[in-house]
Amino acid sequence: MVVPYGCPEPPHHRKQAFDVGEHGMGLMANSFRLGCNCKGAIQYLDGGISDQQGAPVVVKNAICIHEEDNGLLVKDTDFRDARSISARRLIISQIVTAANYDYGSYHTFTLDGTYKLRGQTANPYGTEVARGVIAHNHQHVFSLRIDPEIDGMKIEVRECDAIPLQYTDDSKTNPYGDGFFCQQRAVEGDLLCLVED
């Protein structure tokens, strides 16, 4: 993450903060507290990191895993026992504090296989580091690469298109013209992943 200030006046003309890289995101991780940062069914995980001298450090409750209601993605009521299934989404989050700013990252997984990453400046204005110091115009730019290798190196994304069955006078395979089949094709090239702020 880079924070360019875009101000030609000294001392801001030399400012270009790299909050995450310069300070170390793991070292700045917050410890979540029940009822303060996450809601719903919650599981906290401790973060195992190393300090600036390489010694092991444990940050208690550094990661929050919780479920949220996500409307109705799938609804199936079984007439035999009246059970129903509604949609939930799984969120894995972390909040770090870099100097006078708080940054949140939220990895969201939904039941349709969608993954979304949201980066958020939890404290968009920051707190004053020193009285009389004004931050001028600046922007928080998040950038990262996600390389999950879920199924190994040969992972691919496929599109499935509905292709109508052809009807000819001498063929009885689709006499009413409503037949179709699924044609799959691998998506080539890089997939674009946007981080919302």
Side-chain angles (χ1 to χ4, degrees), residues 2-193:
V2 62
V3 186
Y5 277 72
C7 178
E9 299 171 9
H12 305 291
H13 67 296
R14 297 178 65 94
K15 275 190 179 177
Q16 183 135 308
F18 293 91
D19 284 357
V20 173
E22 289 177 345
H23 301 291
M25 201 165 189
L27 294 170
M28 301 181 296
N30 291 195
S31 291
F32 286 108
R33 290 194 327 258
L34 190 61
C36 294
N37 307 105
C38 303
K39 298 185 187 226
I42 301 170
Q43 176 67 50
Y44 293 116
L45 298 178
D46 295 340
I49 58 171
S50 58
D51 66 15
Q52 293 174 341
Q53 286 74 41
V57 175
V58 174
V59 179
K60 296 295 287 179
N61 299 344
I63 297 168
C64 177
I65 302 174
H66 71 282
E67 283 188 323
E68 287 182 354
D69 180 37
N70 195 29
L72 290 176
L73 174 66
V74 177
K75 178 84 168 94
D76 177 33
T77 303
D78 190 326
F79 69 91
R80 292 176 290 265
D81 58 11
R83 289 186 303 161
S84 63
I85 302 167
S86 59
R88 306 281 289 168
R89 63 182 171 189
L90 181 71
I91 300 175
I92 302 173
S93 58
Q94 179 185 33
I95 296 177
V96 300
T97 301
N100 58 326
Y101 284 94
D102 294 299
Y103 302 108
S105 59
Y106 305 90
H107 303 265
T108 302
F109 302 86
T110 56
L111 292 175
D112 64 354
T114 301
Y115 165 75
K116 183 164 104 177
L117 172 61
R118 181 169 55 98
Q120 178 180 346
T121 306
N123 177 8
Y125 305 107
T127 55
E128 265 190 43
V129 177
R131 295 202 180 275
V133 175
I134 301 171
H136 292 285
N137 301 322
H138 66 286
Q139 179 71 351
H140 298 249
V141 183
F142 297 86
S143 174
L144 66 123
R145 176 185 168 138
I146 299 172
D147 193 8
E149 290 189 31
I150 295 168
D151 291 329
M153 294 294 287
K154 295 188 177 182
I155 188 170
E156 66 179 10
V157 175
R158 292 184 159 270
E159 287 183 344
C160 185
D161 297 318
I163 306 297
L165 289 171
Q166 298 298 317
Y167 174 75
T168 58
D169 289 336
D170 60 345
S171 171
K172 303 295 184 199
T173 57
N174 191 19
Y176 302 105
D178 60 350
F180 63 91
F181 68 96
C182 175
Q183 178 176 300
Q184 293 188 21
R185 68 179 185 84
V187 177
E188 300 293 334
D190 294 332
L191 296 175
L192 180 64
C193 178

